[in-house]
Structures are given as C-alpha cells and as structure tokens.
Amino acid sequence: MTGARWREGWRELRRYPSALLGLTIIAALVALSLYTVIAIPYGEALAKWRGSEAWQRHPVNAAPLWLDRLTGGEAPRTLVVESDMAPVEERAFTGGRRLRIPLAFDFDAGDFPSELNLFLRAPGHEQPPFARLSWQTPDGRELALGGYRIGARERISLSQDRALERRLGGLVPHIGLLAEPGTVEDPDAEPRVLPGRYTLLMDVLVFDEAATFDAELVLYGRVHGIAGTDHQRRDLSLALMWGTPVALAFGLLAAVGTTITTLVIAAVGVWYRGWVDAIIQRLTEVNMILPILPILVMVGTLYSTSIWLMLGVVVVLGIFSAGIKMYRAMLLPIREAPYIEAAQAYGASNPRIVLHYLIPRILPVLIPTFVTLIPTFVFLEASLAVLGLGDPRLPTWGKVLNDAQSQSALYNGYYYWVVSPAVLLMLTGLGFAMLGFALDRVFNPRLRSL
C-alpha cells in the first residue's frame, strides 16, 4: 500500500468509534507490557513467582484493596512492626545482655487481622538467645505468651499456638488477642475489635556480645494491593502484569508465523500449479482434520509444556490451515491479470512475481483477518494453562486461572482470583475484535452498507 492509501485508510478508520476504542484498549495493553518488562525484569519475575521470602509478609488469599473500599468495608491492611524502630532497653549481666524490646503499634481497623506471626533473626550467636514474650492491650491487660529458644532465623506463628487459643476461650490468637474482653469470655457473643495501642513486649537474653538480634511482628491484613494474593501469598498483580506481554507476544508471533507462511505457500501453489499445487492442497486437507488442541495436550503431556515449544507447534500446525484454500481462491484471478503477463514479458523471475505481484494484491484484505487472529492464539495459550499444560515457570493469566481452579477459588468466595485474569482476557479479545471488524469494513467497501 502506498502512503496515500494508508492515509486514506486511516481517515476512513477514524469514522468508526469501535475502531478507536479497540485501538485504545490495545495501546493500553501494549503500554502495560512495556512498563512490566522494564519495571520487573524477566529473571526477577520468574524468581519471585517460583517463591521468594518477600511473600512471607503478604497475607494468604487476601482480596484487592479497591474491592474492600468499593464495598464500604474496613478490612485491615498488613502491618509490620520492626525492632529497629523500637526503644530498646539493654542491661548487662554476667555472661551476656538482657534486651527489652517493645513492639508497639496502633490498631483501629474494623476487622481482625488474618494471621499473626513473629519473625526473629539472631545470626552469629554461638549460644542461641532466649526470648520471653508478653502481650499488652490498650485496656491495661497483660498476657504471657511463653518463652522461645531463638535460632539464626526463626518464625513464631502466634496464630497457631493451640495453648494460647485455649487460654483465649477457644478464639484463634489473632482474634482473641485484639478482641474486647467481654466477647472473649462469652462464647455466644460475636468478637469485636478493641481499638487502641498494643505492645508485644520481648525480654531477650543474649549470650554473645557481638552478635545482633532483630525482630518483626507482622499482622497480616485481609486485603492487599490492587489484585490480591493467592494461596502461596504471591501478589497476583505480578502474574496479571507479566501475563500481558506473554499473551500479546504469543498471539502476535503465532498470528504472524501462521499468516505469512500460509500466504506464501498458497501463492507458490497458485503460481507453479501442477504437482506443487496438488501436494499443497492434499497436505492442507489432511491438516484440516487434525484437532490442534488435543495435539497440544499430547505434546504437553508427553514431552514439554514450554511456551516456546507450544508456540512452534501452533505455527507448524497452522501453516497448512484452511486459510490456504481461501488465499488460493483470491489469488487465482490475480494470476491471469494483464500486469502479470507484462511482468513475465519483461523477464521478471518466478520468486519476484510471487513476492512482488501476487501477495501484495491481497494484503489489504488479509489485515483484518490477521488482527482478529491474535486473540485466538491468546485464548489458546490461556486454555492450555487452565488445563495444566502451561509453562510452569511463567506467571500468566491462564496459570492464575489454573491455580484458582485447583484451590476452588469460586467455592471459597475468592472471586477476584478468577475475575481479574478473565477481564484481561476479555478486554484483549474485545480490543482486537473491534479493531478487526472496523478494518474489515475499511478494506472491504461492500461491508460498509451493512
């Protein structure tokens, strides 16, 4: 297409609001992809998704923050109290030191935290330090939590302390420790949050003068970030963001690979005719009856689920697709055109006629088909991941849906876990479909009156 025809096509395209909306959606997805690749490099994303200590400070199955605010809730967010900010009292005794560390915080949320953990770090100690814990409430009560021998890295799950749970009247500690006294004593009453300033007081005996001791008290919230978390505490926004470039790259590469190769093969068969065209048509007819999805399932089950292998199989199976017959029907009249005879007369070679005279004539008509083909492969990749045949290393939309299915997310009420990737998939399909239908009307004038 010449520059004038491109400008004319763009002016015609702007007449369709659906095309502008589709372009806006696609531009937003592309911008998100570029931002994701720059902000979260590929290696870092894979390392985080496979498991990282950073997720230990995230709550399990937490809803998105905006969802709670949208419904008018007051669910707590994760609160981390570090010993580095606490006023530590230190006293020496024969053979060591005594540290008194008050981890104080204000809690005024409308609901209880989902979990309560204490992380302790005591590296370089020849003799493990000993810590005795007590809990102080805003109304002046103090509850002993017991003593612990501390290793180099220790995680004390106060929420799973069964002895403490029995002392709190059967309430789990992350509720009983922050509840009003009357609701703890009455088993029939609904626990209510006691707002105010709480303190986890730590009396630590350290037997090594040079070694350090650090503590973090984590009160896990019930909401987290813009996308929530999954059963492994992973932030779902990582998978939703990285799923965008993966989906677009898979769809674009598959669409380009299948469309170009199919078009070239169809043009070669039309020009050379004879046994070349006959072989191409027979291969196409055989390939048309082969189901793509079961073949991909078989490859993923018996060989590998690598996304790049799946992409290669999709391209190979898409070469001799039904599109060859459509392109052949469009190219046959062009082969007999007078300008083709003129090109032969001045000595144009067969490859030049195929690449410069046959294929360019039908490219404008194929552009809408190519655009609408991209979301087809995006949904194919997501379908494989939902079936458990996606690349296990990559965080993708389909992998999020597969995890949600395996954890019965809808049954347990974690709707955000399913809705977020589903909305992104629908937006991708909607954006390309709206643009493709508008392009079809631009390049095929007979459809404009419909």
Side-chain angles (χ1 to χ4, degrees):
M1 295 180 65
T2 63
R5 292 189 64 183
W6 278 112
R7 288 192 294 270
E8 180 183 354
W10 170 244
R11 284 195 298 269
E12 185 67 28
L13 187 64
R14 287 188 298 179
R15 296 178 52 241
Y16 298 96
S18 61
L20 298 180
L21 180 57
L23 281 172
T24 302
I25 295 174
I26 296 172
L29 293 173
V30 172
L32 177 60
S33 301
L34 294 176
Y35 171 79
T36 300
V37 173
I38 295 174
I40 312 174
Y42 180 75
E44 179 182 343
L46 292 186
K48 283 186 174 182
W49 190 247
R50 284 197 296 263
S52 172
E53 288 190 5
W55 305 133
Q56 293 185 9
R57 273 65 174 175
H58 292 175
V60 177
N61 294 331
L65 179 62
W66 59 266
L67 181 61
D68 178 69
R69 299 298 182 260
L70 187 65
T71 56
E74 298 179 356
R77 304 176 66 177
T78 299
L79 178 63
V80 179
V81 187
E82 300 180 353
S83 60
D84 294 341
M85 307 299 294
V88 180
E89 297 180 12
E90 182 174 345
R91 294 181 182 179
F93 64 90
T94 304
R97 297 172 294 157
R98 177 183 177 182
L99 306 177
R100 170 160 284 198
I101 307 174
L103 298 180
F105 62 93
D106 294 314
F107 192 84
D108 55 0
D111 198 358
F112 295 96
S114 62
E115 198 176 352
L116 193 61
N117 284 337
L118 179 64
F119 294 91
L120 304 174
R121 293 181 298 274
H125 289 259
E126 294 183 3
Q127 182 177 352
F130 181 83
R132 187 169 295 278
L133 311 179
S134 61
W135 185 266
Q136 299 176 350
T137 63
D139 56 358
R141 291 176 292 119
E142 184 168 342
L143 181 65
L145 303 183
Y148 299 88
R149 185 72 63 179
I150 309 302
R153 300 180 70 88
E154 201 77 30
R155 173 179 172 267
I156 300 175
S157 181
L158 299 176
S159 298
Q160 299 178 8
D161 190 333
R162 299 309 174 195
L164 179 59
E165 181 177 339
R166 288 192 295 270
R167 294 166 57 193
L168 293 171
L171 291 177
V172 289
H174 58 268
I175 293 179
L177 290 175
L178 292 95
E180 293 183 0
T183 60
V184 174
E185 298 169 357
D186 186 358
D188 297 327
E190 185 71 22
R192 295 191 301 271
V193 176
L194 175 63
R197 189 167 186 82
Y198 291 84
T199 302
L200 175 62
L201 187 60
M202 304 178 56
D203 287 315
V204 185
L205 299 180
V206 178
F207 307 100
D208 193 316
E209 292 292 336
T212 60
F213 181 88
D214 296 310
E216 280 185 355
L217 175 64
V218 182
L219 292 87
Y220 294 88
R222 297 185 180 273
V223 293
H224 181 86
I226 62 172
T229 61
D230 64 5
H231 62 296
Q232 298 184 32
R233 304 182 187 273
R234 296 177 298 191
D235 193 336
L236 290 177
S237 63
L238 174 65
L240 297 179
M241 291 174 64
W242 252 102
T244 307
V246 171
L248 293 182
F250 188 92
L252 182 62
L253 292 176
V256 169
T258 56
T259 302
I260 292 179
T261 53
T262 300
L263 179 57
V264 171
I265 290 174
V268 168
V270 167
W271 180 249
Y272 286 96
R273 293 190 293 189
W275 63 270
V276 176
D277 187 39
I279 291 177
I280 292 174
Q281 296 307 310
R282 300 297 82 76
L283 289 174
T284 301
E285 290 162 2
V286 171
N287 190 66
M288 285 172 61
I289 65 175
L290 296 177
I292 293 182
L293 186 58
I295 292 176
L296 291 174
V297 170
M298 182 180 65
V299 171
T301 303
L302 301 178
Y303 187 65
S304 172
T305 56
S306 169
I307 191 172
W308 306 118
L309 174 65
M310 293 295 182
L311 177 62
V313 174
V314 167
V315 173
V316 170
L317 293 176
I319 290 176
F320 291 96
S321 64
I324 282 185
K325 292 190 174 293
M326 180 184 68
Y327 301 152
R328 182 175 183 271
M330 298 169 63
L331 289 168
L332 282 174
I334 299 176
R335 188 188 189 283
E336 308 300 330
Y339 75 91
I340 298 293
E341 296 181 5
Q344 287 181 290
Y346 73 71
S349 62
N350 291 331
R352 180 177 178 82
I353 292 176
V354 170
L355 296 176
H356 292 270
Y357 294 94
L358 287 179
I359 293 178
R361 290 286 293 179
I362 64 172
L363 277 180
V365 182
L366 299 183
I367 290 177
T369 304
F370 168 76
V371 171
T372 54
L373 193 60
I374 294 177
T376 302
F377 293 111
V378 171
F379 277 90
L380 177 61
E381 186 276 330
S383 301
L384 291 172
V386 169
L387 293 174
L389 298 171
D391 196 322
R393 300 173 303 170
L394 283 176
T396 62
W397 299 338
K399 189 67 173 64
V400 173
L401 290 173
N402 177 253
D403 289 341
Q405 180 187 24
S406 64
Q407 297 298 316
S408 303
L410 292 178
Y411 177 79
N412 292 313
Y414 308 136
Y415 301 104
Y416 65 92
W417 200 345
V418 178
V419 170
S420 297
V423 167
L424 287 172
L425 281 168
M426 289 188 291
L427 280 176
T428 303
L430 180 65
F432 282 100
M434 295 177 74
L435 177 61
F437 294 154
L439 287 172
D440 208 6
R441 291 177 177 270
V442 170
F443 292 111
N444 192 349
R446 290 176 297 180
L447 297 176
R448 296 178 187 175
S449 59
L450 299 179

